[in-house]
Amino acid sequence: MNQSIIKALGLLDLFTEEEPELSLKEITERVQLPKPTVYRLLTSLEYCGFLTKTMDSEYDKRYKLGLKLMELGQLVSEQLELRKVALPYMKKLANEINEVVHLVIVNHDEAVYIEKVESTHAVRLYTRIGKRSPLYLGSGPKSLLAFLPDKKRKEILDTATIRPLYKNQIINEIEEIKRNEFAISYGEQDEGTTGISFPIYDYHRKVIAALAVSGPSYRFEGAHLEMIKETTKKSAKEISSEMGYR
């Protein structure tokens, strides 16, 4: 483990509701580290936005928690709220189509599966909450990639280690996903499987997640495939509505 990171994050724990501001001297006394070491850690935290300097004199310096922590806290809060809202609809959807249902979000240029409801089939996909995937692989990730800002999407595709021919195919798929507002994939993450996903919007009309269902391809055919698609679309709209989308 990186001890410098552990020590730096430990400094953040010193700030409380009762003591929202602390001086360099006070922090140094509490952590019992050399003053130059504490100042170096505080400077790094300030640079990253985790701390803000409120006083800077030759005698002492004072700090308070920075806005970056509020941004991260808001992100966590939104994800918890999204899971809470989506789960009942995911359970209902899984009960209706009897296939695995996932809730997928973007995190650090990757797709992350943050919720899951299993099917009752003996033959089913074995995935887990916390699974990560490139944003160009699978129906859920591609739904998210399609609705990212153009500049961000281009940046992700330009830095991905994928063949130019496949990259062009992904770009064409993305245009289709944006037009139709759903994505479908065949065997991209697991051989012999099909995935379908629809975007979930918030009150800003921004795509914040994808509702994805997947299973063995032989169960995703004909009229049954159309039923899965329509039922999943309805569930995604209901979740979006609960998240304030109009």
Side-chain angles (χ1 to χ4, degrees):
M1 290 184 287
N2 189 310
Q3 292 300 313
S4 293
I5 293 176
I6 293 172
K7 288 175 183 176
L9 294 177
L11 299 184
L12 298 178
D13 287 331
L14 298 176
F15 295 85
T16 64
E17 189 175 351
E18 292 75 24
E19 293 183 291
E21 288 191 20
L22 292 170
S23 69
L24 172 60
K25 181 181 178 183
E26 290 170 332
I27 295 169
T28 301
E29 290 173 350
R30 294 182 190 192
V31 296
Q32 296 183 334
L33 290 172
K35 189 173 182 179
T37 300
V38 174
Y39 181 63
R40 175 171 52 81
L41 296 174
L42 291 171
T43 301
S44 296
L45 290 169
E46 183 189 5
Y47 176 79
C48 294
F50 295 109
L51 289 177
T52 299
K53 198 179 292 176
T54 60
M55 185 187 81
D56 189 1
S57 73
E58 61 179 303
Y59 303 107
D60 205 357
K61 306 175 191 305
R62 295 188 68 81
Y63 299 86
K64 67 178 182 179
L65 296 177
L67 292 177
K68 188 66 178 178
L69 288 170
M70 186 173 71
E71 292 173 13
L72 294 175
Q74 180 66 24
L75 181 61
V76 172
S77 176
E78 287 174 356
Q79 290 179 10
L80 291 174
E81 178 66 16
L82 174 61
R83 289 178 67 180
K84 180 181 176 181
V85 167
L87 189 55
Y89 293 100
M90 292 173 68
K91 288 179 177 178
K92 181 174 178 285
L93 175 61
N95 186 57
E96 290 174 345
I97 67 173
N98 201 15
E99 298 294 350
V100 63
V101 180
H102 290 110
L103 188 64
V104 195
I105 64 166
V106 177
N107 183 259
H108 296 303
D109 296 347
E110 290 183 302
V112 182
Y113 292 70
I114 63 168
E115 191 57 90
K116 172 189 176 183
V117 179
E118 193 59 88
S119 77
T120 62
H121 286 295
V123 178
R124 60 194 184 197
L125 300 183
Y126 290 92
T127 56
R128 60 180 176 80
I129 294 174
K131 173 187 172 183
R132 291 181 174 270
S133 168
L135 283 164
Y136 54 83
L137 207 59
S139 70
K142 281 182 179 176
S143 278
L144 298 170
L145 181 63
F147 292 98
L148 286 177
D150 293 343
K151 183 179 178 182
K152 183 64 177 177
R153 184 170 60 251
K154 184 178 185 302
E155 178 186 310
I156 289 171
L157 290 176
D158 286 347
T159 56
T161 54
I162 51 180
R163 300 189 308 275
L165 187 63
Y166 183 51
K167 179 180 174 181
N168 290 335
Q169 179 185 327
I170 293 170
I171 292 171
N172 290 334
E173 281 185 55
I174 283 169
E175 292 306 314
E176 189 174 349
I177 292 167
K178 288 165 71 176
R179 281 195 305 271
N180 300 327
E181 291 196 271
F182 83 94
I184 186 164
S185 65
Y186 302 96
E188 292 187 10
Q189 292 191 16
D190 297 283
E191 188 176 351
T193 64
T194 296
I196 297 174
S197 71
F198 288 82
I200 293 172
Y201 298 85
D202 68 1
Y203 58 93
H204 293 301
R205 305 180 71 84
K206 175 186 173 185
V207 172
I208 55 172
L211 183 66
V213 301
S214 52
S217 293
Y218 66 83
R219 294 204 299 259
F220 283 65
E221 296 177 342
H224 189 63
L225 172 60
E226 290 305 311
M227 183 277 288
I228 290 174
K229 192 188 329 183
E230 288 305 311
T231 310
T232 306
K233 178 181 180 179
K234 180 175 178 288
S235 297
K237 284 186 173 182
E238 289 171 336
I239 297 169
S240 295
S241 180
E242 286 280 344
M243 296 303 294
Y245 176 69
R246 296 291 181 271

